[in-house]
Amino acid sequence: MEANVDIEFIESTVDEKGTMKQPLLSKNRVNTSSQIAIVGSNVCPIESLDYEIIENDLFKHDWRSRKKVQILQYITLKWTLALLIGLATGLVGFCNNLAVENIAGFKFLITSKLMIQHKYHQAFMAFAGINLLLAASAAVLCAYIAPAAAGSGIPEVKAYLNGIDAHSILAPSTLFVKIFGSILGVAAGFVVGKEGPMVHTGACIANLLGQGGSKKYHLTWKWLRYFKNDRDRRDLITCGAAAGVAAAFRAPVGGVLFALEEAASWWRSALLWRTFFTTAVVAVVLRSLIEFCRSGKCGLFGEGGLIMFDINSSIPDYNMVDLLAVTLIGVVGGILGSLYNYLVDKVLRTYSNINEKGPTFRVFLVIIISLLTSCCAYGIPWFTKCIPCPIGLDVECPTVSRSGSYKYFQCPPGHYNDLASLILNTNDDAIRSLFTSINANEFRISTLLVFFVSMYVLGIITYGIAIPSGLFIPVILAGASYGRLVGSLLVSFSNLNVGLFALLGSASFLGGTMRMTVSLCVILLELTNNLLMLPLMMLVLLISKSVADNFNKGVYDQIVKMKGLPFLEPHAEPYFRHLAAGDVVSGPLISFSGVEKVGNIVHSLRLTSHNGFPVIDEPPFLEASEFCGVVLRSHLIVLLKGKMFTKDRRLSGSEMLRRYHASDFAKAGLGKGLKLEDLDIKPEDMDMYVDLHPITNTSPYTVVETMSLAKAAVAFRELALRHLCVVPKTPGRPPIVGILTRHDFMPEHVLGLYPGIDQQK
């Protein structure tokens, strides 16, 4: 924690309407040292990240001594890492799809062969058994190896880029489980996507490269020492998140806009160029690998692959009736999307009571949902009648193999089961079928209604179990079936075909649940390769988001709050304007002198968990007390480890500059740096002195104590700070009032200090 006083955890958060709402934390846990949040299925302490550029004597000396070759090496490495992130993420995305297509294809081939032989019970046993085996494997990986890999991962990445350092969210073990757990979970037939996990995967890959490897797994590279800081790692992880979207959707521009609009809380033009370069590399890698697979060397992997739904080449020609229909789709999509978020909230709160009982219960919950999903996918089509195959088709009907829009199921020759063609199929193939406009009567209205309800309900109850699971595909499936249903009803009045209505339905649901506009619009256009749909897509996204915002927040924002992650919003709460920065400063203030006694430093580090301490120069070095800057806890521990102490109180900065290098104070990856317990401070060392000037950040951001809390909160977030110093307004007082940290700007903390304040003004 960074606050200057120990706090008790307030087990509630404030929603957008000002009401108190509990996060998903156990009521019997008490937090007295730092804030806690849910990461995966575990409750872990959280810290903030140091994105600020530290300007102390040691780092300034390092910058001045750098040669042009070293500067060129640093710039080259930044672009090289962007290239490596793109290559690795693109390769993982391709292998992910390749594995899912082949595993799911093998499963459907076995089921189809048994059904052709009229062995329906054996077909169900094989179908459900394979699904259960795959689901249980994914659950075991998540529950026992890396609980942080469960779920989408986008909320965690979004929180990290906001400045929140939660344990294990980007660890190598999380990366391993995210990749294989996602493959197993999607292949198991769950109504989940691999797109959210791909964003998390890209961020994990970027983090692994940016921290110079992992000492734990003996994968380290000394030439990456330049990136051992939170600022450069943040930029790399932003590139990784964008690369994940590009690899999942084959949407490079959409990936950049997703990182800009949804993931990153802080942006600059140089990062835009590197992110764009990374996603371009992903697009080239995927294109090359797909061309290789079209020769038939990738098993059951489809020729199109990687959910590129470029199957609708019709030119949209819409009239006033179509615009009214699109408006209706946007309004209903916003309402149903906000309802989806509300129900996901309720389900996650229910599942949290099960998940916190232990890994065994998490695996058991996954098994139950797997059996329920298998029963729905195999059982529901039995209640629908077979329909004759359309005349003049270029494709096989009924489809006997694993894929296709005309599933045989139990139908006689020349007939197909339209519901089985959707629900007993891979998610990607189901979306392709819904987006196609070759045959407007391919799916009956009753079939689309049943499929919509099934996807809507299964998507809600599946998210939150202990497997990597994305929300994009379930929402696209529900939205496409809803849109095609509306298109089927309006086919005689509209100039748009049912495939375009399905696309607009997907856009309305995505806008209603995720509340993104620009990035979603571009992703969907890149997905479908239909730029002519841009005006209608923009209209439906704006309407659905505007409608849904009246009910609740976006699903990722909700999950961030439910997990207890202290996320800083881009705007301050209204009542922050009535408070000053000095009103929320915690005390008592713990500070150090410029030349401090070792015993005082050790004692303060043991008694507190603060990560930043103000340094005040005092006589005899100055005539009056003066605020010198802020020193970090990690830097103090490194300094104490070196034992460069003096018996008398004197300045020894020049000696320290000769002994230490900036790399000695670099941040280790995954919190593996020095701890206070690692120090060997002897009793005789406690009475000695150490000069803190060389490691003190002499240019910290400061605000006057009378500045409004709203203004300070905006500055804190926009500058991506960890510590914001508050200085007095009037002379004759101590040179610093206190330090504001992320915790001090949390609504629950402010309302705890001033419970009677009007939250609406």
Side-chain angles (χ1 to χ4, degrees):
M1 139 182 175
E2 300 85 46
N4 291 320
V5 62
D6 289 345
I7 60 166
E8 290 188 1
F9 180 74
I10 301 173
E11 289 190 351
S12 60
T13 56
V14 184
D15 64 14
E16 65 276 7
K17 295 183 179 180
T19 57
M20 303 300 286
K21 198 170 187 178
Q22 289 183 340
L24 296 180
L25 299 175
S26 175
K27 295 182 178 58
N28 57 11
R29 291 189 178 95
V30 177
N31 176 37
T32 57
S33 61
S34 64
Q35 286 195 322
I36 56 177
I38 286 185
V39 179
S41 301
N42 296 334
V43 175
C44 304
I46 59 98
E47 299 284 353
S48 292
L49 296 165
D50 290 302
Y51 289 155
E52 182 183 356
I53 296 177
I54 298 175
E55 294 182 344
N56 57 35
D57 293 341
L58 190 67
F59 284 17
K60 288 178 181 178
H61 178 73
D62 178 70
W63 295 336
R64 288 192 295 265
S65 61
R66 282 188 184 182
K67 301 177 181 178
K68 290 184 178 181
V69 175
Q70 292 176 309
I71 297 174
L72 180 62
Q73 183 185 25
Y74 171 67
I75 296 173
T76 303
L77 284 176
K78 285 200 297 187
W79 288 94
T80 302
L81 283 177
L83 173 66
L84 293 176
I85 291 169
L87 291 173
T89 307
L91 183 61
V92 169
F94 173 79
C95 294
N96 193 320
N97 281 270
L98 183 66
V100 169
E101 288 282 328
N102 281 280
I103 295 173
F106 175 75
K107 175 182 67 179
F108 286 122
L109 279 177
I110 292 178
T111 305
S112 178
K113 288 180 180 179
L114 290 172
M115 293 193 72
I116 291 174
Q117 301 171 10
H118 303 288
K119 298 179 180 179
Y120 299 121
H121 292 91
Q122 292 91 326
F124 173 72
M125 295 298 293
F127 178 73
I130 295 174
N131 283 345
L132 185 62
L133 178 62
L134 295 171
S137 301
V140 168
L141 286 175
C142 269
Y144 289 96
I145 298 179
S152 169
I154 291 179
E156 286 80 2
V157 173
K158 185 175 179 177
Y160 184 93
L161 294 177
N162 190 256
I164 300 169
D165 188 13
H167 180 68
S168 295
I169 61 173
L170 300 175
S173 58
T174 303
L175 172 63
F176 171 81
V177 174
K178 204 73 181 185
I179 294 174
F180 290 97
S182 178
I183 292 172
L184 295 170
V186 175
F190 284 116
V191 185
V192 298
K194 48 188 177 290
E195 289 67 35
M198 272 305 304
V199 174
H200 197 177
T201 298
C204 289
I205 292 172
N207 181 68
L208 183 63
L209 292 173
Q211 69 182 8
S214 171
K215 290 184 178 180
K216 180 179 178 182
Y217 298 97
H218 305 290
L219 298 171
T220 56
W221 299 278
K222 291 183 179 179
W223 51 273
L224 289 175
R225 64 187 182 275
Y226 296 119
F227 298 91
K228 288 186 176 295
N229 62 82
D230 290 330
R231 187 181 180 88
D232 283 319
R233 286 177 188 163
R234 173 196 58 191
D235 291 351
L236 292 175
I237 289 168
T238 303
C239 293
V245 175
F249 292 109
R250 281 176 65 189
V253 180
V256 175
L257 293 175
F258 174 85
L260 172 61
E261 181 180 7
E262 182 66 14
S265 298
W266 191 84
W267 198 266
R268 68 178 189 275
S269 58
L271 182 58
L272 178 67
W273 278 102
R274 257 189 295 160
T275 307
F276 185 68
F277 171 71
T278 306
T279 57
V281 171
V282 173
V284 172
V285 170
L286 293 179
R287 183 73 180 180
S288 303
L289 293 172
I290 289 172
E291 289 297 328
F292 172 77
C293 278
R294 284 179 178 170
S295 61
K297 299 178 181 178
C298 296
L300 297 168
F301 187 62
E303 287 189 359
L306 291 137
I307 71 167
M308 187 73 172
F309 307 128
D310 50 350
I311 36 66
N312 200 333
S313 58
S314 59
I315 299 176
D317 180 21
Y318 42 89
N319 52 31
M320 185 58 65
V321 176
D322 296 323
L323 291 177
L324 292 175
V326 169
T327 302
L328 177 64
I329 288 176
V331 172
V332 177
I335 295 173
L336 292 177
S338 60
L339 177 62
Y340 193 95
N341 293 356
Y342 172 79
L343 295 175
V344 165
D345 182 296
K346 297 299 182 184
V347 169
L348 285 175
R349 293 179 184 279
T350 302
Y351 286 173
S352 67
N353 297 326
I354 300 173
N355 290 334
E356 69 179 18
K357 293 181 180 179
T360 305
F361 287 87
R362 298 171 205 160
V363 176
F364 185 66
L365 178 60
V366 172
I367 291 174
I368 292 176
I369 301 299
S370 175
L371 291 175
L372 177 61
T373 304
S374 298
C375 290
C376 290
Y378 189 86
I380 293 178
W382 287 93
F383 296 96
T384 62
K385 295 181 180 179
C386 297
I387 56 178
C389 291
I391 300 174
L393 286 177
D394 296 332
V395 295
E396 180 185 12
C397 181
T399 305
V400 180
S401 61
R402 68 169 185 90
S403 62
S405 301
Y406 305 97
K407 282 286 186 179
Y408 160 74
F409 206 61
Q410 83 287 10
C411 298
H415 291 69
Y416 72 98
N417 190 308
D418 57 342
L419 185 53
S421 301
L422 291 175
I423 202 169
L424 198 66
N425 211 338
T426 61
N427 294 334
D428 291 356
D429 286 338
I431 296 175
R432 287 191 185 93
S433 299
L434 290 169
F435 280 2
T436 188
S437 58
I438 298 175
N439 179 15
N441 299 317
E442 184 176 336
F443 304 107
R444 292 170 293 187
I445 293 177
S446 58
T447 295
L448 293 172
L449 181 60
V450 172
F451 183 73
F452 165 71
V453 174
S454 301
M455 294 300 101
Y456 196 89
V457 174
L458 288 176
I460 291 171
I461 66 173
T462 303
Y463 192 81
I465 61 177
I467 63 168
S469 52
L471 283 170
F472 273 97
I473 291 301
V475 173
I476 290 176
L477 279 170
S481 56
Y482 153 71
R484 187 160 180 130
L485 173 61
V486 174
S488 299
L489 294 173
L490 300 178
V491 67
S492 58
F493 305 99
S494 175
N495 292 337
L496 299 176
N497 60 55
V498 291
L500 296 179
F501 270 108
L503 176 60
L504 293 172
S506 297
S508 72
F509 262 52
L510 286 168
T513 54
M514 300 178 185
R515 314 296 161 82
M516 294 180 282
T517 52
V518 180
S519 57
L520 277 180
C521 184
V522 174
I523 287 172
L524 287 172
L525 292 176
E526 289 185 282
L527 272 178
T528 55
N529 198 23
N530 196 338
L531 188 61
L532 297 175
M533 287 295 292
L534 178 61
L536 293 180
M537 195 80 68
M538 294 171 64
L539 177 63
V540 75
L541 281 169
L542 287 171
I543 293 174
S544 62
K545 181 187 184 302
S546 300
V547 171
D549 280 340
N550 293 306
F551 298 98
N552 49 35
K553 291 187 176 182
V555 64
Y556 296 132
D557 294 323
Q558 283 191 176
I559 294 172
V560 165
K561 288 295 184 183
M562 283 189 291
K563 287 176 173 289
L565 295 166
F567 190 86
L568 288 174
E569 299 290 349
H571 57 275
E573 297 292 336
Y575 52 89
F576 279 17
R577 296 194 299 267
H578 306 301
L579 297 171
D583 294 334
V584 297
V585 170
S586 303
L589 180 66
I590 298 176
S591 61
F592 296 133
S593 299
V595 181
E596 185 61 81
K597 185 177 288 188
V598 174
N600 292 340
I601 298 176
V602 173
H603 182 69
S604 298
L605 293 178
R606 285 175 179 171
L607 289 183
T608 68
S609 58
H610 308 339
N611 285 288
F613 300 88
V615 177
I616 299 175
D617 274 332
E618 298 174 334
F621 303 107
L622 294 174
E623 294 183 0
S625 297
E626 181 180 295
F627 177 48
C628 180
V630 175
V631 62
L632 297 181
R633 181 187 189 90
S634 59
H635 292 180
L636 285 172
I637 294 177
V638 173
L639 195 62
L640 294 176
K641 180 74 173 179
K643 290 190 173 184
M644 197 170 176
F645 307 145
T646 58
K647 292 184 178 181
D648 53 342
R649 193 177 184 186
R650 64 180 179 85
L651 297 174
S652 58
S654 57
E655 301 171 20
M656 293 178 62
L657 292 178
R658 289 192 295 268
R659 174 174 175 179
Y660 287 103
H661 299 281
S663 58
D664 297 327
F665 295 87
K667 182 175 180 179
L670 298 177
K672 301 299 182 183
L674 283 173
K675 300 292 189 296
L676 185 61
E677 296 76 19
D678 301 328
L679 301 182
D680 183 22
I681 304 295
K682 295 180 172 54
E684 56 268 23
D685 296 331
M686 301 293 276
D687 293 327
M688 301 186 75
Y689 292 89
V690 60
D691 188 1
L692 302 182
H693 290 95
I695 62 169
T696 299
N697 181 11
T698 56
S699 59
Y701 288 95
T702 60
V703 296
V704 69
E705 61 181 341
T706 54
M707 177 183 283
S708 71
L709 189 61
K711 194 173 181 179
V714 172
F716 191 91
R717 186 185 190 274
E718 292 298 321
L719 295 171
L721 301 180
R722 186 177 189 179
H723 304 104
L724 182 61
C725 300
V726 181
V727 296
K729 175 75 171 179
T730 56
R733 297 166 56 190
I736 181 169
V737 176
I739 295 181
L740 291 175
T741 64
R742 176 179 298 269
H743 164 72
D744 296 308
F745 294 106
M746 291 296 104
E748 58 268 24
H749 171 67
V750 177
L751 292 175
L753 295 175
Y754 302 96
I757 195 169
D758 189 350
Q759 300 178 32
Q760 304 302 323
K761 294 182 180 180

